[in-house]
């Protein structure tokens, strides 16, 4: 059996890492990374700023049954959200401008949509933008327009929209200087009783034993809400006409009587950021299958405190005595024992999630799991995608209560 050495392990873990720093606003920086288990990886991630309104957008997309849907979402969804954040007059000017600029500026964007699909998606988005403008003018749509308007993602306001089984966890420092993990989201799976009750209520009593089977929707799908997955949404006649000729009879799940069975409606959570809130961890369930929210927060918190040792030593003042410099160097040498191996916090989480034990990271375990081929690797773990977002404490301190 072949396993990787320490250098190879680190190269694999750091292959997809990325960091972005900001000069203003509530978000100081973010670290992101991905580790594949499937080939190709089914997860995607996306980060961007809005160009015509304030706001930073960050997302993790956990794909299944292939990477296509998650990839399309990572390219398209932010444009739709950014359009919703525009004031009416700005939206109107944007629609009328033939040479309109992009609504978002994406970071670490490594792929593009092929030509034919791009034209279709652009046309679809133009229709959506026009629809937004028409609905916003209609007095009957005022509540919805107000809801869109307050989703201003900059400043102390944090909104998290969740569909499926990814999670967002907030890392905060208590008055006693201990780390506290606040899970902001709830998974849409069979462990969520409220979600089960919702699905049962939407279908006849006669389907109660078949709509959820083997802890899956219709015995097939683990997440109970998702984007895409038309096989659980479209009427039977459309599936017969469109899907069956391509996929065969398996295109229609067993016990498919009263569609739709699947919703793409997100649960939206709001949190008002305070100076105690230090970072947010967004991650696909591949991470949460391996470590708890508290373990993740503690790891990132310790990483924050140890990361300072990546920077050169700065003397606190001029003309400092040599004896004081010596004391500083001795103190720094002792504290260097806590210096993390990785500068990127998402990579730090990956290393501990995959190779962690109660005594720390076990290199042999980490190397073995990373050396597995995709068909075997999927027996041990899922794709993992992580974004760690750091908040600017001083900026939040100056925000009005």
């Amino acid at each position: 059996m072949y396993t990787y050495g320490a250098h190879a392990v680190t190269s694999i873990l750091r292959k997809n890492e990325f960091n972005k720093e900001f000069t203003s606003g509530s978000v100081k920086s973010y670290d992101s990374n991905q580790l594949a288990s499937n080939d190709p990886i089914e997860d995607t991630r996306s980060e961007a700023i809005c160009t015509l309104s304030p706001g930073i957008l960050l997302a993790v997309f956990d794909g299944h049954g292939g990477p296509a849907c998650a990839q399309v979402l990572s390219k398209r969804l932010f444009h739709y959200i950014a359009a919703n954040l525009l004031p009416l007059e700005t939206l109107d000017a944007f629609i009328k401008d033939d040479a309109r600029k992009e609504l978002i500026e994406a970071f670490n964007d490594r792929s593009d949509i092929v030509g034919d699909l791009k034209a279709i998606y652009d046309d679809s988005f133009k229709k959506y933008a026009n629809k937004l403008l028409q609905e916003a003018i209609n007095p009957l749509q005022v509540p919805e327009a107000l809801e869109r308007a307050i989703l201003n993602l900059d400043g102390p306001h944090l909104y998290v929209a969740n569909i499926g089984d990814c999670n967002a966890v907030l890392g905060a420092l208590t008055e006693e200087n201990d780390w506290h993990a606040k899970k902001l989201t709830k998974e849409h799976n069979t462990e969520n009783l409220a979600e089960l009750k919702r699905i049962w209520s939407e279908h006849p009593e006669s389907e109660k034993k078949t709509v959820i089977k083997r802890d899956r929707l219709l015995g097939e799908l683990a997440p109970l809400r998702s984007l895409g997955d038309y096989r659980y949404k479209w009427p039977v006649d459309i599936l017969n006409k469109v899907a069956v000729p391509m996929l065969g009879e398996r295109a229609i799940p067993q016990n498919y009587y009263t569609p739709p069975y699947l919703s793409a409606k997100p649960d939206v959570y709001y949190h008002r950021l305070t100076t105690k809130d230090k970072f947010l961890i967004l991650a696909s369930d591949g991470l949460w299958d391996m470590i708890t929210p508290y373990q993740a927060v503690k790891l990132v918190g310790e990483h924050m405190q140890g990361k300072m040792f990546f920077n050169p030593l700065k003397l606190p003042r001029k003309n400092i005595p040599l004896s004081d410099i010596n004391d500083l160097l001795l103190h720094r040498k002792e504290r260097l024992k806590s210096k993390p191996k990785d500068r990127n916090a998402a990579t730090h989480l990956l290393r501990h999630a995959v190779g962690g034990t109660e005594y720390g990271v076990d290199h042999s375990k980490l190397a073995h799991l990373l050396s597995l081929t995709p068909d075997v690797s999927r027996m041990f773990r899922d794709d993992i995608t992580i974004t760690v977002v750091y908040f600017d404490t001083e900026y939040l301190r100056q925000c009005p209560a």
Side-chain angles (χ1 to χ4, degrees):
M1 181 186 296
Y2 175 77
T3 58
Y4 297 116
H7 179 73
V9 162
T10 295
S11 296
I12 292 169
L13 290 175
R14 294 179 181 174
K15 180 181 177 182
N16 297 309
E17 69 180 7
F18 182 78
N19 167 265
K20 176 69 180 177
E21 297 185 357
F22 300 94
T23 56
S24 62
S26 57
V27 174
K28 183 163 54 177
S29 64
Y30 74 83
D31 293 345
S32 68
N33 204 344
Q34 291 184 288
L35 182 65
S37 184
N38 293 291
D39 185 17
I41 187 171
E42 295 181 341
D43 283 7
T44 57
R45 32 122 306 274
S46 190
E47 305 92 33
I49 57 170
C50 299
T51 57
L52 300 182
S53 63
I56 297 176
L57 304 169
L58 306 108
V60 167
F61 304 97
D62 182 358
H64 51 261
C69 183
Q71 288 175 354
V72 169
L73 285 170
S74 71
K75 299 295 293 186
R76 299 184 67 193
L77 184 61
F78 281 0
H79 291 85
Y80 285 72
I81 295 174
N84 272 280
L85 299 174
L86 295 179
L88 280 183
E89 61 274 13
T90 308
L91 178 62
D92 188 34
F94 170 78
I95 292 171
K96 292 175 179 175
D97 185 3
D98 291 332
R100 51 180 167 262
K101 64 183 289 188
E102 286 286 337
L103 283 176
I104 64 167
E105 178 190 346
F107 310 116
N108 194 32
D109 191 357
R110 302 180 182 182
S111 62
D112 204 356
I113 297 172
V114 295
D116 291 348
L117 282 178
K118 189 174 188 332
I120 293 171
Y121 293 156
D122 285 347
D123 183 62
S124 177
F125 177 72
K126 289 174 188 174
K127 291 177 180 175
Y128 176 74
N130 275 294
K131 181 184 176 187
L132 270 184
L133 187 63
Q134 292 164 7
E135 289 183 349
I137 293 171
N138 185 338
L140 297 176
Q141 303 296 325
V142 169
E144 290 82 356
L146 286 173
E147 183 179 6
R148 289 197 296 262
I150 65 171
L151 291 181
N152 184 333
L153 304 182
D154 198 19
H157 306 295
L158 174 66
Y159 287 87
V160 179
N162 184 52
I163 307 167
D165 50 15
C166 294
N167 273 308
V169 175
L170 192 69
L173 270 178
T174 66
E175 297 289 348
E176 295 75 29
N177 222 35
D178 295 322
W179 286 108
H180 171 70
K182 181 177 181 179
K183 193 169 166 224
L184 300 179
T185 48
K186 293 181 181 178
E187 302 95 327
H188 297 129
N189 58 27
T190 54
E191 293 182 14
N192 184 336
L193 182 57
E195 189 67 2
L196 285 176
K197 289 180 177 179
R198 178 191 67 81
I199 290 178
W200 285 328
S201 72
E202 293 174 355
H203 301 278
E205 182 69 22
S206 59
E207 291 189 58
K208 190 165 185 180
K209 291 183 179 179
T210 58
V211 67
I212 300 293
K213 198 173 181 180
R214 298 187 296 276
D215 288 331
R216 290 172 175 259
L217 185 70
L218 296 173
E220 295 185 357
L221 192 66
L224 303 182
R225 298 191 204 184
S226 81
L227 289 141
D229 287 311
Y230 63 86
R231 292 177 57 240
Y232 309 96
K233 296 175 178 176
W234 290 358
V236 173
D237 58 335
I238 294 180
L239 287 177
N240 273 317
K241 183 178 179 180
V242 178
V244 171
M246 292 189 299
L247 304 175
E249 294 301 323
R250 68 182 180 88
I252 303 177
Q254 288 188 336
N255 304 304
Y256 196 78
Y257 306 121
T258 55
Y261 288 89
L262 193 62
S263 170
K265 183 180 179 181
D267 279 336
V268 180
Y269 304 89
Y270 170 75
H271 178 80
R272 203 284 189 189
L273 292 169
T274 72
T275 54
K276 294 177 183 178
D277 301 320
K278 303 304 178 185
F279 54 83
L280 178 74
I281 304 171
L282 297 173
S284 57
D285 65 331
L287 176 70
W288 309 117
D289 287 343
M290 306 186 84
I291 59 175
T292 67
Y294 175 71
Q295 287 173 323
V297 164
K298 194 166 185 294
L299 283 167
V300 174
E302 291 169 350
H303 183 268
M304 269 183 68
Q305 293 162 344
K307 198 164 59 171
M308 66 182 73
F309 296 106
F310 284 111
N311 301 319
L313 174 66
K314 290 184 179 180
L315 297 179
R317 61 185 185 277
K318 293 181 180 179
N319 303 320
I320 185 171
L322 285 176
S323 59
D324 290 352
I325 294 176
N326 185 59
D327 289 342
L328 277 172
L329 291 173
L330 289 173
H331 177 70
R332 184 176 174 89
K333 182 179 179 181
E334 181 63 27
R335 292 290 301 276
L336 275 172
K337 295 175 183 177
S338 65
K339 177 183 176 181
K341 192 173 184 67
D342 305 292
R343 183 186 290 267
N344 186 295
T347 308
H348 183 71
L349 278 176
L350 284 176
R351 187 182 295 274
H352 283 79
V354 179
T357 69
E358 58 182 312
Y359 305 107
V361 175
D362 181 337
H363 172 75
S364 60
K365 175 187 175 184
L366 180 60
H368 172 64
L369 289 175
L370 291 180
S371 69
L372 299 176
T373 56
D375 56 326
V376 179
S377 177
R378 283 296 287 117
M379 299 170 62
F380 293 90
R381 65 174 181 85
D382 198 354
D383 297 327
I384 303 175
T385 300
I386 306 168
T387 299
V388 180
V389 188
Y390 293 99
F391 301 118
D392 188 322
T393 301
E394 288 308 310
Y395 179 91
L396 294 174
R397 197 186 311 279
Q398 297 168 22
C399 288

